[in-house]
Structures are given as structure tokens and as C-alpha cells.
Amino acid sequence: MTHTPYQTDVAIIGAGPVGLFAVFELGLYDMKAAVIDVLPMVGGQCAELYPEKPIYDIPALVSVTGQALTDQLMAQIKPFNPEFFLGQSAEKLVKTDDGWQITTSDNQIIQAKVVVIATGGGLFSPKKPALANLDAYEGTSVFYAIRNVEQFHNKNIVIAGGGDSALDWALYFVPLAKRVTLVHHRDGFKAAPDSVNKMRELVAMDKMDFEIAKLDTLEGDAPQITNVQIIDKATNTQKSIPADMFMAFYGLTMKAGPLAEFGINMENNLVPVDTEKFETNVASIVSIGDINTYAGKQKLILSGFHEAALMAKGAFHYIYPEKKFRFQYTTSSSNLQSKLGVDA
Amino acid sequence: MKINVIDQQGTHHALEAEEGWRVMEIIRDWDLNIKAECGGACSCATCHVYVDTAWLDKLYPPTDEELDMLDSAPAVESYSRLSCQLIMSQALDGLTVTLAAGSEKD
């Protein structure tokens, strides 16, 4: 798929709280931003890992949930109308004559003068089961997400996991596949009760199988599996399930993204920056939030907010090299207030 | 007060522990290789440990929330726990846990 290249002043990689607040700080000084995130929604960790959990150390907010913080940030940056590219990761970063060109996993091109790396704990990626040789089968007979459903028709499918994704896909494939086997380590699920009931009914009607077991090995010449070996939890005995396709749904975890390939210095998967402009070793690539490192760094959302404000001042000189950066307060500046749409 | 932690390489570490701290926090504070990406909110299962079975009875049983979260950890056993849900007390002085696969940083 090709898309029209998108041009903006600043491209922010990561739509967590710090990436979102950067839109605000940049916007106050007339810098337009586009935000890229691998998740289909904004909020990063706050939205993906703990939307319901309260955070107690956001200044002036006694308690706020991850989702509420995200919602408030989205309301705060609304006047600046940022463009979002969600559900896609920044894959490539190339220098151009007047800035940078990012290519995302959806082949979207984004051109910007400044790039902000605000990728937090890393790129949300599927958790993988602890099985040897897994990667040799990935993409052919082992999957963590389903894109092309046709390839699973009339196949023996083994699905591992006990959440909604595992249950939903198991139910979806029962009428289409040769046989569906759900493997979970206990007889309990973190899924919609209705789906669990449907699964149990299908098992009772012998339309699918459910094994309370742990995964042991994948068999078959890579990249094609032939069997999934499991160990029954109750009897501790091995069992081999014929399988053409294996899917594992264990949720997401954060992995180091392709930052090292962007040509910036990394230290233990973190990006060293200066504490004046939060710039990396490469001019006009800056980094804020949990992904950066400097003397005294604390991985707190509030630190990332502070970094965003200072970063914006540094970015200004790349976007408006001929202009002077004029520091202003939102309480008193009619200029800032008009941008925020709150002018009296 | 101490806890014994066996890391992903099989190395034993005796760590000074403090009452009221989460076992995950102690392991992280001593710079062992623990991912614990949600920071202790029982929301990610990347602080998964195997508890030495001699200690299982001394622990508070897991909540439904912890059991649900353990579903997203690889290789769960009957003695699996999330170390962010284990709170140090005098009764746990000497607790031994092994860091499970999937609990390591990249």
C-alpha cells in the first residue's frame, strides 16, 4: 500500500504521555507535529498496560488512571491538531536535504525537520511462548497475530492462551478449520464469559478440543510444523497434537525497536542525550521520556514532561532558524492563549 | 532480612530485603535482570518467578487478578507467582525464587 507522503515540522515516535505532551510544548511555539505509534490507540503503556490503574505522582493530580491521563492529554493538545499514524511502527529513518524521512511499517512516509524519539520502554510486540526454535517457524506456521485468515482454512490449528484473543480466534476458526485445539495452562480464563461458555459448548459437541496443558515442543521441519507437543497438567504426560498452524496469544511486551539502525548512539538500549536540548548524538534527532538517559535520569512521566518543554525550545531553532525563541507563560501571553483557543 | 534469587543463568544471589517491599522491587533495586515493565501494577507478567515450593504455603495466595495476569506469562507452573505481588515480611525471610523465562530485559 502506498500513501501520500506527509510533511510536518516535527515527527514524534511514540504516543505515550510524553510524546503527547511534546505536541503541546511544540504547538505553543508554532511547530506542527505528527505522532507515530505501533499501538492502534494513543497512550502507550498507560493505555496498553494499566488503563485502570491509578498513578499518584503526576503534579497536582492526586490520583489519575492511565486512561484518564491519556484522555486529558488528548484534550490538552487538541488545539494543535496533531496528525496521528497509529498501528504502525517507525521502521526507517533517512536523512534528507532539509530534515528526515521516516518510513513506517505501513509504508507511510513522514517528512520532518526534527525527529523526537519518545518510545518509552520500547516497541510493543507480542509475547512469545518459551519454545525452542520458535523463530524458524514464524510467519509460515507460527503466528502471534492474524492478518490473512484464508491461510488457516481447512488446517489443524493449535491456539495457545487464555484471553479474549485466544478465545475469539478459536471460536472464529472452528467452522473454517479442520480442527481447532485450545491449549491453556489452567481451567480459568481472562476472557468474556460468553466466549468461554461457547468454547465449552463446542468442546462438549466435539467440534473442538481444549487441553489444560503446558506447551512443550514444536515438531516438523522448519518452517512447517506438523505437531505441537504438550504436557497435560493433570497427568503430567506428553501428548502430540497434529498441527499445521500454531498461534500464541499472550499479550504484548515492550522490545527494543529499530532505534540502533537509525544511526543514533545507544547505551543499554537507551538513548544518551544532553540535558539542555535533549538532543542525541545526531543533530535534530532528540529523545525524551523513559527511552533516554542522562546523569540523574529518573523514569517518571513528570520528568518526560519537563524534557518535552526543554526539547521544544531546542527544536525551535531547527524549524525557525531565523527567529528568536521568546519564552512566554500561558497565564499571561495573549499569543499563547489564542493558540489554545482560550483568549479572553 | 534476605531473599535468595536464582537468575536466568542459574546464578544464586542473596539479597538484603526490606519489610513491606515487593520482591520485584528488591530484585530490581539490586540490579538483577528483571523486566517488570509495568512497574508493579500487576499488569504485565514480566516479573514472573518460580517460588521454591518449600515457601509456597507461607505466601498469601494469588488474587484472581494475579492469576489472570499470569495467563500472559510463558511456561506457568503451579508454583509461579508475579514477584510484584509478593510483599516482604518477617515470615518470608529467606524466601527463594527463580526468575522465569520472559522476565528478562531485552
Side-chain angles (χ1 to χ4, degrees):
Chain A
M1 218 177 354
T2 52
H3 307 269
T4 319
Y6 186 83
Q7 275 204 328
T8 188
D9 294 329
V10 181
I12 301 168
I13 307 174
V18 174
L20 294 179
F21 191 64
V23 172
F24 182 84
E25 288 295 327
L26 292 163
L28 286 181
Y29 295 98
D30 302 311
M31 293 173 274
K32 290 284 293 174
V35 190
I36 304 160
D37 201 288
V38 67
L39 293 175
M41 72 290 193
V42 298
Q45 271 193 63
C46 289
E48 170 63 30
L49 288 183
Y50 46 86
E52 309 299 333
K53 300 274 171 158
I55 308 167
Y56 299 105
D57 61 353
I58 305 296
L61 297 179
V62 175
S63 167
V64 64
T65 64
Q67 191 56 52
L69 180 71
T70 304
D71 294 344
Q72 290 291 314
L73 283 163
M74 286 299 280
Q76 193 168 25
I77 66 177
K78 195 164 182 281
F80 302 114
N81 198 24
E83 190 73 21
F84 286 98
F85 298 95
L86 301 177
Q88 48 200 303
S89 56
E91 292 291 316
K92 264 194 256 168
L93 178 68
V94 203
K95 186 94 185 84
T96 61
D97 287 344
D98 60 345
W100 297 96
Q101 178 167 301
I102 293 172
T103 309
T104 73
S105 51
D106 274 5
N107 284 322
Q108 171 71 52
I109 285 174
I110 297 152
Q111 287 158 339
K113 294 200 172 64
V114 173
V115 173
V116 180
I117 299 182
T119 53
L123 194 60
F124 272 104
S125 316
K127 277 187 194 163
K128 299 181 180 183
L131 290 170
N133 233 358
L134 202 56
D135 48 346
Y137 300 99
E138 285 172 359
T140 303
S141 56
V142 169
F143 298 86
Y144 312 107
I146 307 304
R147 289 233 156 80
N148 170 17
V149 293
E150 280 80 22
Q151 62 182 322
F152 303 99
H153 287 188
N154 304 312
K155 299 286 169 65
N156 285 314
I157 305 177
V158 172
I159 298 178
D164 279 310
S165 299
L167 267 296
D168 289 352
W169 282 115
L171 298 178
Y172 175 87
F173 280 121
V174 164
L176 304 167
K178 196 192 259 176
R179 190 75 180 179
V180 173
T181 305
L182 180 68
V183 179
H184 186 43
H185 72 101
R186 62 171 177 143
D187 194 11
F189 298 88
K190 188 191 182 183
D194 183 50
S195 308
V196 177
N197 291 339
K198 276 190 188 137
M199 183 275 293
R200 293 196 198 283
E201 280 167 28
L202 289 166
V203 172
M205 293 188 294
D206 193 29
K207 302 265 184 165
M208 66 172 282
D209 299 303
F210 169 48
E211 301 282 355
I212 302 170
K214 66 176 179 183
L215 299 165
D216 187 50
T217 39
L218 298 178
E219 294 180 338
D221 291 331
Q224 182 55 57
I225 59 164
T226 56
N227 291 76
V228 177
Q229 287 271 4
I230 58 170
I231 298 170
D232 186 275
K233 280 271 180 181
T235 62
N236 205 27
T237 51
Q238 274 214 340
K239 186 170 176 180
S240 184
I241 307 169
D244 309 301
M245 298 290 194
F246 172 70
M247 307 168 185
F249 298 105
Y250 290 116
L252 301 176
T253 188
M254 289 176 283
K255 299 273 180 197
L259 293 183
E261 291 153 43
F262 291 178
I264 54 175
N265 276 351
M266 305 283 294
E267 260 173 33
N268 301 321
N269 286 328
L270 297 171
V271 181
V273 290
D274 70 76
T275 49
E276 185 191 346
K277 298 174 181 170
F278 293 88
E279 199 156 30
T280 67
N281 65 307
V282 180
S284 70
I285 301 182
V286 299
S287 180
I288 56 176
D290 282 1
I291 187 68
N292 78 11
T293 184
Y294 52 85
K297 169 73 181 184
Q298 289 201 309
K299 288 190 183 186
L300 293 173
I301 293 171
L302 69 93
S303 309
F305 289 168
H306 157 81
E307 293 161 18
L310 272 63
M311 173 281 292
K313 186 180 170 192
F316 185 83
H317 298 287
Y318 288 110
I319 313 294
Y320 300 111
E322 73 290 356
K323 284 193 197 171
K324 181 177 170 3
F325 180 89
R326 290 176 193 281
F327 176 78
Q328 298 163 82
Y329 289 112
T330 56
T331 40
S332 51
S333 161
S334 53
N335 171 29
L336 295 188
Q337 287 172 0
S338 78
K339 288 173 198 167
L340 292 169
V342 294
D343 40 333
Chain B
M1 207 185 304
K2 283 212 163 16
I3 58 168
N4 301 300
V5 180
I6 302 162
D7 69 19
Q8 295 88 347
Q9 279 67 46
T11 310
H12 289 241
H13 305 265
L15 308 180
E16 190 63 43
E18 235 175 293
E19 181 145 17
W21 279 51
R22 292 159 192 268
V23 168
M24 177 277 286
E25 293 175 308
I26 298 161
I27 299 171
R28 186 181 60 188
D29 199 47
W30 284 98
D31 284 332
L32 296 195
N33 187 4
I34 189 165
K35 190 168 193 182
E37 67 188 355
C38 81
C42 194
S43 300
C44 72
T46 56
C47 67
H48 176 200
V49 294
Y50 299 126
V51 176
D52 183 307
T53 48
W55 288 90
L56 277 180
D57 302 349
K58 300 193 173 67
L59 303 174
Y60 279 100
T63 60
D64 287 348
E65 189 184 16
E66 183 183 345
L67 288 174
D68 283 349
M69 207 59 238
L70 270 167
D71 282 357
S72 72
V76 175
E77 301 289 353
S78 56
Y79 42 88
S80 283
R81 293 296 300 265
L82 296 181
S83 58
C84 73
Q85 300 303 301
L86 306 177
I87 307 212
M88 272 314 284
S89 62
Q90 290 296 340
L92 297 184
D93 188 5
L95 172 72
T96 299
V97 300
T98 303
L99 288 165
S103 62
E104 71 282 359
K105 294 183 204 164
D106 285 335

